[in-house]
Amino acid sequence: MRLDKFVCKSTALTRSEATQAINAGELSVNGSIVLDAATQVHENNSISLNGQILKARGFRYILFHKPADTICSNVDEVYPSVFKHIDVDNPAELHVAGRLDADTTGLVLVTDDGRWSFEIIRPDKACSKVYRVGLTYPIADDVVQRFADGLQLQGEQKLTRPAVLELVTPKEVLLTITEGRFHQVKRMFAAVGNRVLSLHRERIGQIGLDVAVGQWRYLSADEISSFG
């Protein structure tokens, strides 16, 4: 991670305070003064602030049930940030691994471990996500197969990856996808002449949503290691 981020993760300094300390020559990496806050450092480096060895705090891995009209951002915008619901120290260090739109509800995974979240969102990992989708119109007879074959989304040349569509009612489905294009679920149904009325994520990989709306919990060791 970047040196300034490491300093924040191992002290009570803010990002600007960490940058000031680095610019002042107060940080050394493996015995050498480093003046560039963007320098990449690793767990096996010896990093000191004014001669005191720093040790980064452990990473955190959180499951959260996102309410509607919240955003997966660290700051409030038109809607409030999801982090208003997660009562932990140093929330600014956290990020969402696979964001949801403001009007979409359900499971989000939150962490301060960038490498772990990359394992979830990187396309070649094909991490499955399950959504419960409410629709304007009943599902047409050929749509299940069209989703399985891959769809042409507006403005894109490459077909979507094969997706599994399970009918719950004529206007409600469970959709499993293994990629995360921009507004993908809504665009997939638009491509078959339908419109999403409600969208709720129930599962990511092996992790299912099991807390009430607006609640959160830490992931277990087995859940954390299920991605990789």
Side-chain angles (χ1 to χ4, degrees):
M1 70 177 68
R2 287 171 52 114
L3 178 57
D4 53 357
K5 184 175 179 181
F6 180 91
V7 173
C8 292
K9 194 164 177 56
S10 55
T11 69
L13 297 180
T14 64
R15 181 65 70 89
S16 62
E17 290 170 340
T19 300
Q20 290 174 4
I22 294 166
N23 292 340
E26 298 173 6
L27 268 294
S28 65
V29 178
N30 298 329
S32 299
I33 298 295
V34 175
L35 299 175
D36 184 0
T39 298
Q40 292 292 313
V41 296
H42 307 279
E43 295 92 335
N44 60 347
N45 293 148
S46 176
I47 303 169
S48 301
L49 172 62
N50 292 322
Q52 181 177 355
I53 297 292
L54 301 182
K55 182 176 178 58
R57 295 182 287 275
F59 290 119
R60 295 168 290 177
Y61 307 89
I62 292 169
L63 176 154
F64 175 61
H65 190 157
K66 179 187 176 296
D69 299 330
T70 58
I71 56 171
C72 294
S73 170
N74 290 73
V75 295
D76 295 338
E77 297 177 15
V78 175
Y79 295 105
S81 165
V82 296
F83 291 100
K84 285 189 175 298
H85 295 268
I86 303 175
D87 185 17
V88 295
D89 294 333
N90 305 302
E93 296 178 358
L94 298 168
H95 64 271
V96 172
R99 297 184 172 193
L100 295 177
D101 295 338
D103 60 347
T104 303
T105 62
L107 172 60
V108 294
L109 299 177
V110 177
T111 187
D112 47 8
D113 184 348
R115 287 187 296 184
W116 183 79
S117 61
F118 185 60
E119 292 297 314
I120 297 172
I121 64 175
R122 58 187 283 192
D124 62 305
K125 288 295 183 178
C127 178
S128 63
K129 296 99 177 173
V130 180
Y131 295 85
R132 185 173 293 270
V133 190
L135 299 165
T136 301
Y137 309 111
I139 286 290
D141 293 338
D142 64 340
V143 168
V144 173
Q145 188 59 51
R146 291 179 66 184
F147 272 63
D149 293 339
L151 294 169
Q152 184 81 54
L153 301 184
Q154 184 176 10
E156 296 192 24
Q157 295 183 344
K158 188 177 181 181
L159 296 180
T160 58
R161 289 181 176 178
V164 177
L165 196 64
E166 177 186 348
L167 273 64
V168 179
T169 71
K171 293 185 180 181
E172 184 179 57
V173 299
L174 291 177
L175 171 66
T176 302
I177 60 175
T178 57
E179 55 185 342
R181 304 189 195 185
F182 181 70
H183 294 321
Q184 179 170 343
V185 175
K186 295 174 182 176
R187 294 169 67 205
M188 290 176 78
F189 284 99
V192 296
N194 214 321
R195 180 172 178 268
V196 172
L197 292 180
S198 63
L199 186 57
H200 178 81
R201 187 159 62 192
E202 296 189 344
R203 178 172 294 273
I204 300 176
Q206 299 178 29
I207 300 176
L209 186 61
D210 59 2
V211 299
V213 177
Q215 300 300 306
W216 63 277
R217 66 170 176 83
Y218 287 107
L219 296 182
S220 69
D222 286 343
E223 288 173 327
I224 295 167
S225 62
S226 67
F227 301 101

